[in-house]
């Protein structure tokens, strides 16, 4: 059963969470489900730049929203301190998730960086948000190369310790010609379970082709 709220985290920043969020949204749309996406804390963009949710909207057309947008390409608390602004608190993020959940079949929530990056001035993280959202599930986006097995194991341990339901792992960018390390990593991740791999080049596809590639890559959601 695919939960109403799907939280998308990663083993790190820049691993492909945004593209995976778009791919999951495209699959759910393909299955006839209504979808919205939410980014509690966007950093590293100015007012005019496209943020993660703009990428998701471009690739899928789903409605999106952001909790806050900060300029410095840093962790949220550091970026907010530079601008001397307060971050939205956890209840504000939960209120937005509830608002979206009341209007759409599924809400995708993309974190900033990895699972335990602090998103609020009270040092609460995406894990705290997931714990507070009943019956949500987390998707973990990981790299393909050397080092990813440990990063996946660390994040899964953090999820298990908090009793957060892990739906599985997505490899954010799967090369056309994977090397032997990447092939071994993929085999070791099968029991995670590995929900799928996103072929390198997906975000450069036009929306229709992106949706077809997403449905092929992530049958769990389609
Ligand atoms: N399958 C892919 N093929 C090619 N490029 C990709 C793929 N997936 C992600 N990328 C690129 O890698 C970069 C990082 O991806 P993305 O923005 O999804 O990471 P992220 O984990 O969401 O980062 P952040 O922590 O900043 O939110 C982007 O430039 C994105 O276009
Ligand atoms: C700027 C970057 N693209 C993300 N938006 C924020 C990543 C925060 C990572 C914090 C950390 O783990 O060091
Ligand atoms: Mg992102």
């Amino acid at each position: 059963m695919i939960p109403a709220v799907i939280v998308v985290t990663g083993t790190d920043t820049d691993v492909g969470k945004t593209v995976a969020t778009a791919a999951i949204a495209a699959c759910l749309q393909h299955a006839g489900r209504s979808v919205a996406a939410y980014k509690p804390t966007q950093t590293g963009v100015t007012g005019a730049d496209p943020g993660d949710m703009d990428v998701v909207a471009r690739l899928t057309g789903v409605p999106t929203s952001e909790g806050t947008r900060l300029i410095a390409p840093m962790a949220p608390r550091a970026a907010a301190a530079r601008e001397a602004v307060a971050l939205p608190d956890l209840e504000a993020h939960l209120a937005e998730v509830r608002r979206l959940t009341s209007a759409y079949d599924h809400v995708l929530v993309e974190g900033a960086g990895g699972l335990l990056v602090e998103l609020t001035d009270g040092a609460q993280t995406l894990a705290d948000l997931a714990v507070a959202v009943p019956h949500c599930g987390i998707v973990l986006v990981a790299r393909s190369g050397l080092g990813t097995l440990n990063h996946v194991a660390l994040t899964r341990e953090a999820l298990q310790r908090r009793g957060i339901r892990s739906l599985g792992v997505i490899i954010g960018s799967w090369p056309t010609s994977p090397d032997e390390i990447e092939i071994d990593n993929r085999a070791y991740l099968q029991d995670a379970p590995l929900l799928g791999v996103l072929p390198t080049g997906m975000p450069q596809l036009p929306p229709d082709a992106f949706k077809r590639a997403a449905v092929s890559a992530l049958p769990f959601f389609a």
Side-chain angles (χ1 to χ4, degrees):
M1 170 73 175
I2 299 174
V5 179
I6 299 169
V7 175
V8 182
T9 192
T11 53
D12 196 356
T13 185
D14 224 32
V15 293
K17 296 187 300 291
T18 298
V19 178
T21 298
I24 295 168
C27 290
L28 293 169
Q29 285 179 308
H30 176 75
R33 313 285 287 166
S34 61
V35 189
Y38 176 55
K39 176 93 172 181
T41 313
Q42 175 69 65
T43 67
V45 290
T46 61
D49 293 344
D52 290 356
M53 292 297 102
D54 299 303
V55 172
V56 173
R58 173 175 60 80
L59 290 169
T60 68
V62 302
T64 63
S65 62
E66 285 177 359
T68 189
R69 172 172 281 216
L70 298 163
I71 296 169
M74 303 168 80
R77 293 189 72 183
R82 285 199 167 206
E83 296 181 40
V85 298
L87 288 165
D89 61 17
L90 184 61
E91 185 44 45
H93 295 313
L94 293 172
E96 178 63 0
V97 171
R98 286 193 295 266
R99 182 186 74 83
L100 293 171
T101 307
S102 68
Y104 300 94
D105 296 325
H106 296 281
V107 179
L108 304 179
V109 182
E110 182 193 345
L115 178 68
L116 299 186
V117 170
E118 296 173 353
L119 303 180
T120 74
D121 294 322
Q124 290 153 315
T125 69
L126 191 69
D128 295 309
L129 185 151
V131 166
V133 175
H135 315 303
C136 80
I138 281 212
V139 170
L140 174 57
V141 183
R143 292 191 172 93
S144 60
L146 193 63
T148 200
L149 295 181
N150 173 57
H151 297 159
V152 167
L154 286 170
T155 304
R156 283 172 49 80
E157 186 172 293
L159 292 168
Q160 285 158 4
R161 196 161 71 83
R162 292 165 173 81
I164 300 171
R165 179 186 172 197
S166 171
L167 298 176
V169 175
I170 292 173
I171 294 179
S173 185
W174 184 252
T176 309
S177 304
D179 62 31
E180 59 182 0
I181 290 170
E182 289 164 325
I183 292 167
D184 279 2
N185 284 341
R186 182 173 179 169
Y188 276 102
L189 290 172
Q190 285 299 350
D191 294 338
L194 183 62
L195 299 173
V197 303
L198 301 181
T200 298
M202 269 187 74
Q204 286 74 36
L205 295 173
D208 287 349
F210 179 86
K211 183 173 287 189
R212 287 194 297 275
V215 169
S216 172
L218 301 176
F220 175 85
F221 295 103

